[in-house]
Amino acid sequence: MKVLVPVKRVVDYNVKVRVKTDGSGVDIANVKMSMNPFDEIALEEAMRLKESGKVTEVVAISCGVTQCQETLRTGMAIGADRAILVETATELEPLAVAKLLKALADKEQPQLIILGKQAIDDDSNQTGQMLAALLGWPQATFASKVVLEDGKVTVTREVDGGLETLALTLPAIITTDLRLNEPRYVTLPNIMKAKKKPLDVVKPEDLGVDVTPRLKTLKVVEPAKRSAGIKVPDVATLVAKLRNEAKVI
């Protein structure tokens, strides 16, 4: 069984991002980049399925600039067998990524695609659902437990009322949530081994996909700074401030 795991290169979650002075976007010059944490969880789950003997090959995929090769090498150090980079300097939107992944899925013919529920840079939470719609495959989002057996995958997901369990026939799409697993640390020997694993580079044109952006960013601004809290002497003053200053009642 083959599993595809798309991974995204994002600004490291420990970095405090800054908006460019011209308001055109976020400044990522000389900023530490890393694998999207939700995608790291997806890759860890794929590796656990492989280690249990239920999966034979794990393929990491990334779409973006040349530097995404570093992210893919990290994915292969975690344990992916090989990697594919769809190289483009165009800023990719979720639908474009979903179309690229569909083209690769048609070519690779996987039985399962596991990806993070969202990226921490744009927080779109769209790619997995769009990919399932394009492929016509069943999907289970926000997975907190995955069990693969007898040609079916059983996914437990968290909903407002508690837990929901879905049984999907393969091939299928799964998007991962935080509580699914704890990703492993990458060891130095595995980092060295990853350098010898195959990494193929293709262009969107090779896959017949148009990745031209359909949205335009007009302006990016930082959130307004919160004012300091104050203490009030009594309930009447609190109500007055909520009504007259905060205007929430």
Side-chain angles (χ1 to χ4, degrees):
M1 177 182 289
K2 183 189 294 185
V3 177
L4 298 189
V5 183
V7 297
K8 186 177 183 181
R9 179 177 181 263
V10 299
V11 175
D12 190 86
Y13 66 92
N14 289 312
V15 173
K16 180 176 172 56
V17 295
R18 290 182 172 82
V19 175
K20 293 180 180 178
T21 54
D22 61 359
S24 61
V26 174
D27 187 5
I28 59 172
N30 302 315
V31 170
K32 182 183 178 183
M33 308 292 283
S34 61
M35 186 185 297
N36 179 46
F38 289 103
D39 297 337
E40 198 172 357
I41 292 170
L43 187 54
E44 172 66 24
E45 191 64 23
M47 292 313 306
R48 293 187 183 189
L49 291 173
K50 184 182 178 184
E51 289 165 355
S52 67
K54 296 173 182 175
V55 168
T56 54
E57 185 181 24
V58 176
V59 183
I61 298 173
S62 192
C63 305
V65 295
T66 306
Q67 291 87 338
C68 290
Q69 290 189 28
E70 301 168 10
T71 307
L72 289 171
R73 291 293 177 194
T74 300
M76 289 189 286
I78 292 173
D81 299 289
R82 57 188 176 91
I84 302 172
L85 170 62
V86 183
E87 187 177 13
T88 176
T90 305
E91 186 174 348
L92 296 173
E93 296 170 359
L95 181 58
V97 176
K99 288 180 177 179
L100 291 171
L101 294 177
K102 178 191 181 298
L104 288 172
D106 290 340
K107 180 180 178 183
E108 293 287 334
Q109 294 294 309
Q111 284 71 51
L112 192 61
I113 301 178
I114 310 177
L115 62 165
K117 69 172 184 176
Q118 65 193 74
I120 62 172
D121 52 1
D122 57 16
D123 277 332
S124 292
N125 182 18
Q126 295 175 343
T127 303
Q129 293 89 325
M130 288 177 170
L131 178 59
L134 291 172
L135 287 169
W137 291 6
Q139 62 174 311
T141 56
F142 318 136
S144 60
K145 183 180 179 182
V146 175
V147 178
L148 182 62
E149 56 188 359
D150 300 328
K152 290 187 177 182
V153 58
T154 303
V155 177
T156 302
R157 57 193 302 270
E158 297 180 358
V159 295
D160 292 340
L163 298 176
E164 179 182 51
T165 302
L166 302 176
L168 311 178
T169 55
L170 299 178
I173 308 279
I174 297 174
T175 70
T176 60
D177 211 339
L178 280 174
R179 279 166 287 279
L180 179 58
N181 60 50
E182 184 78 26
R184 68 193 67 189
Y185 288 104
V186 180
T187 62
L188 183 58
N190 286 337
I191 293 175
M192 301 306 293
K193 290 177 184 177
K195 293 180 180 180
K196 297 180 180 179
K197 292 183 179 180
L199 194 160
D200 298 327
V201 180
V202 297
K203 302 286 186 181
E205 309 86 68
D206 301 334
L207 301 172
V209 178
D210 178 15
V211 295
T212 305
R214 288 170 166 76
L215 301 176
K216 182 179 179 181
T217 301
L218 301 179
K219 189 177 181 182
V220 178
V221 296
E222 290 189 9
K225 293 183 178 179
R226 296 177 62 181
S227 57
I230 60 171
K231 292 182 178 180
V232 294
D234 51 44
V235 175
T237 308
L238 173 62
V239 173
K241 287 187 175 293
L242 290 174
R243 179 177 291 127
N244 302 324
E245 295 181 17
K247 299 187 185 301
V248 295
I249 59 173

